[in-house]
């Protein structure tokens, strides 16, 4: 319709059985040139929108990194506390064995709490460390995309 040729004529052109009339060839060339120019150069509005998106993603990435670091610090604190509790419980058990006295109830409670198995087998810490590494790589990628003259593939 745009080239002012029939559908059958166009079909024959596509299959190589017929050529287009001169006016249709010129119109098609102009259309293709126009479309290729538009796709080759991103509009300033798109570049601006991309930069805004990249900045927002960088901001979110920084937030996620701080959150993962806080979780990792809290986990380390909890694990350290558990380790110290186990050391105290071990000391109390040894002390009670040496003195051969009856273990006071509060000692028994502390020892039981220290011996209580923890559900975390170290995978939580590993997962947080892995997440931090991924976020750092993502940040590097986002920063490289933000730099002027970077490849936008």
């Amino acid at each position: 319709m745009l080239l002012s040729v029939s559908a059958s004529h166009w079909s024959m052109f596509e299959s190589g059985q017929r050529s287009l009339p001169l006016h249709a060839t010129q119109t098609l060339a102009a259309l293709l040139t126009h479309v290729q120019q538009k796709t080759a150069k991103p509009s300033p509005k798109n570049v601006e929108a991309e930069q805004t998106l990249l900045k927002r993603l960088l901001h979110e990435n920084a937030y996620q990194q701080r959150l993962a670091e806080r979780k990792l610090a809290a986990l380390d604190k909890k694990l350290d506390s558990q380790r110290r509790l186990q050391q105290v419980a071990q000391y109390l058990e040894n002390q009670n064995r040496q003195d051969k006295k009856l273990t006071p109830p509060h000692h028994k409670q502390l020892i039981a709490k220290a011996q209580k198995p923890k559900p975390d087998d170290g995978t939580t810490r590993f997962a947080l460390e892995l997440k931090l590494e991924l976020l750092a790589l993502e940040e590097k990628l986002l920063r490289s995309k933000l730099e002027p003259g970077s490849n936008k593939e």
Side-chain angles (χ1 to χ4, degrees):
M1 189 169 76
L2 290 172
L3 302 175
S4 301
V5 293
S6 67
S8 62
H9 194 141
W10 178 255
S11 176
M12 293 172 89
F13 166 72
E14 283 183 322
S15 65
Q17 296 175 354
R18 193 164 185 187
S19 62
L20 287 176
L22 182 59
H23 70 85
T25 306
Q26 289 173 340
T27 307
L28 181 60
L31 280 171
L32 289 174
T33 303
H34 180 72
V35 169
Q36 288 175 349
Q37 286 175 351
K38 290 293 181 182
T39 56
K41 296 179 185 177
S43 69
K45 213 177 218 183
N46 286 345
V47 172
E48 215 173 279
E50 287 174 4
Q51 293 292 316
T52 304
L53 175 64
L54 287 170
K55 287 176 184 176
R56 194 178 82 228
L57 289 172
L58 257 175
H59 183 71
E60 176 64 24
N61 179 285
Y63 169 75
Q64 290 295 330
Q65 282 189 41
R66 287 191 305 272
L67 184 64
E69 287 168 354
R70 281 194 302 259
K71 286 181 180 180
L72 193 56
L75 181 63
D76 284 343
K77 186 176 178 181
K78 188 176 181 180
L79 291 173
D80 188 51
S81 174
Q82 181 65 24
R83 183 187 50 79
R84 283 185 276 131
L85 178 63
Q86 288 172 344
Q87 288 174 341
V88 168
Q90 187 178 15
Y91 171 78
L92 291 174
E93 282 181 327
N94 289 339
Q95 195 66 28
N96 289 335
R97 272 193 228 124
Q98 287 176 359
D99 295 344
K100 296 186 181 172
K101 293 185 199 174
L102 189 61
T103 307
H106 58 281
H107 286 197
K108 287 181 182 177
Q109 289 174 345
L110 193 110
I111 292 168
K113 185 176 179 181
Q115 292 173 345
K116 188 175 167 184
K118 299 297 175 200
D120 184 12
D121 58 354
T123 57
T124 304
R125 189 172 205 308
F126 177 73
L128 284 171
E129 288 172 342
L130 186 62
K131 184 175 183 174
L132 275 172
E133 286 181 41
L134 287 171
L135 287 167
L137 290 172
E138 182 182 78
E139 178 187 13
K140 202 178 213 181
L141 175 67
L142 290 171
R143 287 195 187 282
S144 74
K145 293 284 187 182
L146 256 178
E147 291 174 2
S150 67
N151 273 346
K152 296 191 178 179
E153 296 178 36

